[in-house]
Amino acid sequence: AAGVIQSPRHLIKEKRETATLKCYPIPRHDTVYWYQQGPGQDPQFLISFYEKMQSDKGSIPDRFSAQQFSDYHSELNMSSLELGDSALYFCASSLRQLGYGYTFGSGTRLTVV
Amino acid sequence: GESVGLHLPTLSVQEGDNSIINCAYSNSASDYFIWYKQESGKGPQFIIDIRSNMDKRQGQRVTVLLNKTVKHLSLQIAATQPGDSAVYFCAEFPGGFKTIFGAGTRLFVKA
């Protein structure tokens, strides 16, 4: 069965660079959620999209932006990277109402050096 | 702020025993909850979910119980196996599309 696909799996960037993370939801899922998980920390909700519109916002820094495209995939753009941005970024997708078929991706490990 | 928390940070069980992992939530408006496991360096893996109109839901070897009166969730794993060793998180959805995760509980399974 198709799962939530994230790319890249690993990414190394230098401080002040930019990074783009991609999330491909399960087919027919219309909602995407982004989370950030620092080393040894709980995941933190960043932002979500439903039907290509931002549906909710969490602790996403102003340096980050995200969008959901017409094919429902989503991209998280991160600029002026800081060392503290090093984390596991994972997304999840679901169908229509919150939670139906909620499935996680495997995550992108971002390391800022 | 409102949060979801786990009572025990570490749980050690013997292989074959049943495991119970607990979680407290504080937002009475939360209508959806999930449990997931996370192995070191990997993304989270969905285990089971439950909606607020249910008290119990069973999956394969796992059962989630929801007590709305005391705002408590538990995850029961039957016949715990070494492959169950991981960190387990509960999460609540307090309305909208936000998600609140609690601190994880690390489960050790002793052979």
Side-chain angles (χ1 to χ4, degrees):
Chain A
V4 177
I5 307 298
Q6 289 189 248
S7 67
R9 292 296 303 273
H10 301 275
L11 188 60
I12 300 175
K13 290 285 186 178
E14 294 188 354
K15 284 193 302 183
R16 291 180 288 279
E17 285 192 318
T18 61
T20 298
L21 279 53
K22 297 184 179 182
C23 173
Y24 296 86
I26 287 177
R28 292 184 295 280
H29 278 194
D30 50 21
T31 307
V32 170
Y33 315 78
W34 283 99
Y35 306 96
Q36 176 192 58
Q37 187 177 24
Q41 298 181 0
D42 312 332
Q44 297 295 318
F45 169 74
L46 293 178
I47 196 167
S48 61
F49 292 88
Y50 169 66
E51 281 292 346
K52 293 157 280 185
M53 298 287 290
Q54 181 182 307
S55 53
D56 231 322
K57 201 170 182 180
S59 53
I60 184 169
D62 292 340
R63 298 178 290 108
F64 295 5
S65 64
Q67 58 182 325
Q68 187 178 32
F69 294 86
S70 58
D71 63 352
Y72 293 98
H73 94 273
S74 178
E75 295 184 3
L76 178 66
N77 299 294
M78 310 160 71
S79 62
S80 302
L81 286 168
E82 302 173 356
L83 296 178
D85 296 328
S86 295
L88 176 67
Y89 292 83
F90 59 93
C91 70
S93 74
S94 69
L95 174 65
R96 292 201 301 274
Q97 294 180 30
L98 186 65
Y100 283 105
Y102 187 92
T103 306
F104 291 101
S106 297
T108 294
R109 172 77 58 189
L110 172 67
T111 303
V112 181
V113 298
Chain B
E2 299 181 278
S3 63
V4 175
L6 296 172
H7 296 312
L8 298 174
T10 304
L11 178 65
S12 185
V13 300
Q14 199 69 37
E15 181 179 359
D17 287 351
N18 297 333
S19 303
I20 299 176
I21 300 173
N22 296 304
C23 176
Y25 67 94
S26 58
N27 192 327
S28 57
S30 291
D31 56 4
Y32 180 68
F33 305 85
I34 62 170
W35 280 99
Y36 70 93
K37 65 183 283 191
Q38 190 170 24
E39 297 175 57
S40 181
K42 295 184 178 179
Q45 179 185 349
F46 176 94
I47 300 173
I48 193 168
D49 60 358
I50 189 167
R51 297 199 174 273
S52 58
N53 61 353
M54 303 172 68
D55 297 322
K56 179 179 179 179
R57 188 156 190 234
Q58 288 184 294
Q60 188 176 12
R61 283 200 306 117
V62 294
T63 300
V64 55
L65 299 177
L66 175 62
N67 186 330
K68 295 181 284 294
T69 302
V70 294
K71 299 190 185 74
H72 182 268
L73 274 168
S74 68
L75 176 70
Q76 301 176 3
I77 305 173
T80 313
Q81 303 169 0
D84 295 327
S85 294
V87 177
Y88 289 80
F89 291 88
C90 64
E92 65 176 313
F93 291 76
F97 294 84
K98 288 183 177 175
T99 320
I100 302 174
F101 291 91
T105 292
R106 181 170 296 280
L107 176 66
F108 289 104
V109 181
K110 297 177 288 187

